[in-house]
């Protein structure tokens, strides 16, 4: 089994929204904000090559929305999904499974691409991974298609409806998905966010998605304002981070601007970061 980091680009989100009740005087020491109070974040995906299966976890923000939409997110950085796959010699048609942790736009947007047409014609949308089965769960799919007012701006139908239309959608449950990959659902950020646990080299790597966006979110009160049930996040994070410290999980950080992975340890102040760096250093 081989793992590859797939960088899909960077974007900006409001620092206050990212750190919830924690004041800027504290979070800005580790996450400096620009003049508009925006902080930079990665959209870092993971490709798993396991025998014949080529499983991509999340797909970044994609390219299909309007300029007006993207102007709120200040996309930057040289990387993009297609180029990063190309760098590891994987053609999009070879992807067998796309695993969505959840269907917020910065996690699933890359799965459907816009084909540029003449200015007077409507843009055409196509699956980026036409041979892949796209994995989510029934409860989350129903929410994404009938969102509450708070999450409505994060669930964009053009990011996922074509998958169902093309019959490339599959619902999964918690538990073992592949011999080396199992899935747990978490509910604080959004309903039934899917977190994959990957066994490799006698270690466990966990793709954290929005359960733990960055190293800055390790201390318990650092819960995003985007979370729909922050008290549930708090509980889920506490239990998960203790388990991660005990079992020495490698945490894969989708949104950390700099670091791909980290481990955590127990301290007098609670769980804190232990080591951080590139994924390959942790897998040795
Ligand atoms: Zn999210």
């Amino acid at each position: 089994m081989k793992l590859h980091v797939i960088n899909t680009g960077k974007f900006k989100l409001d620092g206050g929204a990212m750190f919830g009740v924690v004041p800027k005087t504290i979070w800005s020491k580790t996450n400096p904000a620009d003049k508009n109070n925006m902080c930079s974040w990665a959209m870092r995906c993971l490709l798993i090559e396991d025998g014949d299966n080529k499983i991509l976890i999340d797909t970044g923000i994609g390219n299909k929305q309007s300029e007006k939409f993207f102007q709120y997110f200040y996309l930057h950085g040289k990387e993009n999904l297609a180029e990063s796959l190309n760098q590891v010699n994987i053609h999009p048609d070879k992807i067998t499974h796309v695993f969505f942790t959840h269907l917020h736009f910065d996690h699933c947007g890359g799965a459907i691409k816009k084909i540029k047409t003449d200015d007077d014609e409507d843009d055409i949308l196509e699956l980026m991974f036409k041979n892949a089965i796209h994995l989510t769960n029934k409860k989350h799919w129903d929410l994404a298609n009938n969102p509450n007012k708070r999450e409505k701006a994060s669930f964009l139908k053009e990011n996922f409806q074509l998958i169902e239309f093309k019959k490339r959608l599959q619902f999964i449950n918690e538990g073992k998905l592949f011999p080396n990959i199992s899935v747990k659902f978490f509910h604080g950020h959004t309903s039934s966010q899917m977190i994959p646990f990957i066994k490799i080299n006698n270690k466990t790597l966990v793709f954290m998605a929005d359960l733990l966006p960055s190293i800055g979110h390790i201390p318990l009160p650092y819960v995003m304002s985007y979370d729909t049930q922050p008290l549930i996040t708090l509980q889920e994070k506490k239990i998960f981070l203790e388990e991660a410290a005990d079992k020495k999980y490698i945490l894969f950080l989708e949104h950390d601007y700099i670091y791909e992975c980290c481990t955590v340890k127990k301290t007098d102040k609670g769980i804190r970061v232990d080591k951080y760096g590139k994924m390959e250093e942790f897998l040795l």
Side-chain angles (χ1 to χ4, degrees):
M1 186 157 81
K2 265 205 261 180
L3 304 186
H4 306 279
V5 173
I6 301 294
N7 290 302
T8 72
K10 311 271 193 349
F11 70 145
K12 291 189 179 187
L13 291 171
D14 185 274
M18 283 302 280
F19 291 108
V21 297
V22 178
K24 184 177 179 183
T25 45
I26 299 178
W27 61 251
S28 62
K29 287 179 194 154
T30 47
N31 291 74
D34 70 12
K35 64 180 190 318
N36 296 317
N37 211 43
M38 309 288 276
C39 296
S40 286
W41 307 95
M43 287 176 285
R44 184 178 290 118
C45 305
L46 180 66
L47 175 68
I48 305 168
E49 286 191 83
D50 192 8
D52 290 339
N53 288 326
K54 295 190 172 37
I55 306 148
L56 179 64
I57 311 217
D58 281 355
T59 61
I61 199 168
N63 72 347
K64 79 182 82 55
Q65 281 81 22
S66 66
E67 256 176 58
K68 184 163 187 259
F69 173 85
F70 285 119
Q71 88 186 11
Y72 293 113
F73 300 105
Y74 305 88
L75 300 188
H76 58 287
K78 280 184 242 125
E79 306 108 336
N80 66 65
L81 175 59
E83 187 47 42
S84 294
L85 286 170
N86 188 34
Q87 273 177 18
V88 294
N89 283 318
I90 301 287
H91 191 277
D93 294 353
K94 292 273 188 288
I95 299 290
T96 57
H97 300 81
V98 175
F99 179 106
F100 294 125
T101 59
H102 60 304
L103 295 166
H104 287 166
F105 60 79
D106 52 321
H107 296 257
C108 71
I112 297 176
K113 63 180 175 182
K114 184 168 79 176
I115 308 293
K116 292 213 166 53
T117 53
D118 293 339
D119 285 347
D120 52 345
E121 285 173 55
D122 285 345
D123 291 321
I124 298 168
L125 296 184
E126 260 182 21
L127 296 186
M128 177 81 177
F129 306 104
K130 66 176 181 345
N131 297 320
I133 296 166
H134 296 66
L135 306 171
T136 180
N137 65 79
K138 173 89 170 68
K139 208 171 147 198
H140 189 73
W141 178 261
D142 288 347
L143 171 68
N145 282 278
N146 299 286
N148 53 63
K149 287 211 168 70
R150 195 177 156 99
E151 285 182 276
K152 205 177 163 83
S154 296
F155 289 124
L156 310 175
K157 292 201 164 75
E158 68 269 26
N159 278 343
F160 44 81
Q161 277 185 336
L162 186 68
I163 299 166
E164 185 183 36
F165 181 72
K166 296 272 188 187
K167 300 193 168 22
R168 305 308 295 173
L169 182 68
Q170 189 178 317
F171 294 145
I172 61 169
N173 294 312
E174 284 188 283
K176 199 158 252 196
L177 181 61
F178 297 104
N180 297 311
I181 305 174
S182 57
V183 184
K184 267 191 201 169
F185 292 180
F186 292 84
H187 307 281
H189 176 63
T190 183
S191 176
S192 301
Q193 176 178 205
M194 313 203 302
I195 301 293
F197 290 60
I198 301 139
K199 288 244 179 289
I200 180 164
N201 305 347
N202 290 320
K203 298 170 184 181
T204 301
L205 179 136
V206 186
F207 187 94
M208 296 309 299
D210 285 347
L211 176 61
L212 188 83
S214 76
I215 286 179
H217 290 85
I218 293 171
L220 281 185
Y222 289 64
V223 172
M224 293 190 284
S225 298
Y226 299 110
D227 287 20
T228 55
Q229 302 191 86
L231 295 180
I232 303 286
T233 298
L234 212 61
Q235 225 172 38
E236 290 177 339
K237 237 172 86 174
K238 185 173 190 302
I239 294 167
F240 174 83
L241 286 174
E242 272 169 25
E243 182 181 317
D246 287 341
K247 297 189 176 172
K248 301 192 174 8
Y249 289 161
I250 303 161
L251 310 184
F252 185 98
L253 304 164
E254 186 165 15
H255 289 312
D256 195 285
Y257 192 66
I258 302 170
Y259 299 111
E260 293 172 359
C261 288
C262 73
T263 52
V264 292
K265 62 181 176 193
K266 287 182 173 161
T267 74
D268 296 343
K269 291 180 178 169
I271 305 287
R272 290 293 181 269
V273 68
D274 187 11
K275 298 190 175 79
Y276 44 85
K278 287 195 163 296
M279 178 175 75
E280 58 188 29
E281 295 158 12
F282 287 91
L283 295 178
L284 293 174

